[in-house]
Structure formats: structure tokens, C-alpha cells
Amino acid sequence: GQQVMQIPQYQHVQEGEDFTTYCNSSTTLSNIQWYKQRPGGHPVFLIQLVKSGEVKKQKRLTFQFGEAKKNSSLHITATQTTDVGTYFCAIGNEKLTFGTGTRLTIIP
Amino acid sequence: KAGVTQTPRYLIKTRGQQVTLSCSPISGHRSVSWYQQTPGQGLQFLFEYFSETQRNKGNFPGRFSGRQFSNSRSEMNVSTLELGDSALYLCASSLSVPVEGYTFGSGTRLTVV
């Protein structure tokens, strides 16, 4: 089945710095979803990208889907302590395949 | 609207026992999926049900099974528990076409001793 690689595995940033996580696939994707899981919590859906080159914004979060629909990124501008957690990309529809996640920790 | 409800939240079982976990999806959601989350393997898909039919199955042994009832509630069962089955088991529900993504429950933390 399809697989997706996610990097980096960990990211430690000072509060106020930016953060980016990347997902890459060797095959063309029909869509990609992003989830956030707070420590001790469960994954929460953030967004789904479907179109080639799509860019969507949610306040300080910017999501991009590559032109070839093989990669995606999540960028957070000016991180805050509330951004702490693990960010996952996921591919598929009825059966999600999750990336390994990027754990974001923030130094106040 | 009420979220996805999973019971129990925590469970401790002994090797060789069996366990049944329950999931009540969001009202109107007919698709229910189950995932296993462990530190080593991450989030792994177990199976997905829609209208009481299993549509997709992950790469788990036959000890893992599930079912969905006519009211969309779902249960998963693990028989002959092994230490390696210790994990967070997450249930997620969605509309038939998950354009709004999946809504996850808080999970059941299973510890096998």
C-alpha cells in the first residue's frame, strides 16, 4: 500500500519561532490530511488538501500540497505554547495511512 | 454535537485473556475505523466498517476482530492477548466520504501484563 515519509521526527523551537513539518510520498496522492495530537490526547483533524498546488491557511498555520501531489507541508508562524503536540499527515480515504509524526516542543 | 465515545478509557488485562472495546460514533456518521497507536509503530489502521460491513482491514493477525451494529456503534475484540498488544486503541468516525476528516475518540489505553 501507499506509504508516506514525514520529517523531522522532532522539532524543538523557541516560542515565537516558526515550525515546518514535511510529508513525502513516492506515488501521486489523491488527497492528504493533517492531524494534531496533544500530549496525552487523541488526533484532531486540521485540514484536508485535494488540489495540486493547493495552499490553505488557518490563522498561523499554512498547509501546502505539492504541484505533483506527492508532498505536503505544514508551517506554523510564530509558535505559541498551545502549538505543542505531534503533527501527523495521513493519506487515503476509508483507510488512513499516517506518517510517523513530528513532535513539536516549545521552549518558553 | 457529542463526540466519539470510547469505553472503557483504561484497561489492564493478563496475557491470554480477551478484551472487547466499544465505540459510539458521532450521530449520523456511518463509517467507523479503528487504529492502534504505540510508541514504536505509530498509528496503524486496524479495520473500517460502514453500514455493518467491514470495508477495509489492516495487517493485523486474526486475533483482532470487530463488528458494527445497525446503530453504527462498533466493537473491537482482541483474543489471546499478548504483551505487544499494549497500546492506545483509537476509534474514529466520519461521513461516508470523509471530506471533513475523521473525528477520533479519546481512546482506550490497554495494558497487557
Side-chain angles (χ1 to χ4, degrees):
Chain A
Q2 287 186 315
Q3 292 187 327
V4 61
M5 301 297 295
Q6 188 170 359
I7 56 170
Q9 190 174 359
Y10 301 96
Q11 187 86 48
H12 311 285
V13 301
Q14 291 272 357
E15 187 174 8
E17 290 183 337
D18 292 355
F19 160 79
T20 305
T21 175
Y22 302 89
C23 280
N24 297 289
S25 170
S26 59
T27 60
T28 302
L29 304 171
S30 58
N31 60 59
I32 191 164
Q33 299 179 22
W34 286 93
Y35 291 81
K36 175 184 178 182
Q37 185 173 19
R38 295 180 184 272
H42 56 276
V44 173
F45 174 74
L46 295 176
I47 209 159
Q48 176 167 258
L49 305 174
V50 179
K51 299 177 182 177
S52 167
E54 191 169 17
V55 178
K56 288 189 176 181
K57 294 191 176 184
Q58 292 179 350
K59 297 182 180 179
R60 296 178 294 103
L61 277 61
T62 301
F63 303 84
Q64 291 188 313
F65 203 7
E67 292 289 342
K69 299 181 72 174
K70 289 184 176 182
N71 57 76
S72 180
S73 65
L74 158 59
H75 179 84
I76 302 177
T77 303
T79 54
Q80 299 175 359
T81 55
T82 54
D83 296 325
V84 163
T86 301
Y87 293 84
F88 294 95
C89 62
I91 60 175
N93 286 305
E94 299 158 5
K95 171 183 175 180
L96 287 181
T97 298
F98 282 83
T100 49
T102 297
R103 181 177 295 180
L104 172 63
T105 56
I106 295 177
I107 307 164
Chain B
K1 57 184 177 182
V4 177
T5 304
Q6 289 189 247
T7 56
R9 287 294 308 275
Y10 302 92
L11 209 48
I12 300 176
K13 289 287 188 179
T14 305
R15 274 182 301 174
Q17 288 187 312
Q18 73 158 15
V19 66
T20 299
L21 312 181
S22 179
C23 172
S24 293
I26 289 175
S27 178
H29 284 191
R30 295 164 63 190
S31 171
V32 175
S33 303
W34 289 88
Y35 292 83
Q36 182 196 65
Q37 186 173 32
T38 60
Q41 298 299 316
L43 277 156
Q44 292 188 290
F45 173 79
L46 281 157
F47 25 67
E48 186 254 354
Y49 289 87
F50 181 81
S51 293
E52 302 179 66
T53 300
Q54 186 181 89
R55 288 199 297 194
N56 291 278
K57 190 176 190 304
N59 297 322
F60 279 81
R63 299 185 297 107
F64 292 81
S65 63
R67 59 178 175 169
Q68 185 181 33
F69 301 95
S70 58
N71 62 358
S72 293
R73 191 177 71 84
S74 178
E75 289 181 346
M76 69 163 281
N77 184 277
V78 187
S79 63
T80 319
L81 284 166
E82 301 177 359
L83 296 178
D85 297 332
S86 296
L88 179 65
Y89 290 89
L90 292 158
C91 167
S93 75
S94 73
L95 298 169
S96 58
V97 179
V99 292
E100 295 181 347
Y102 286 84
T103 303
F104 281 81
S106 299
T108 294
R109 173 74 62 182
L110 172 65
T111 302
V112 182
V113 297

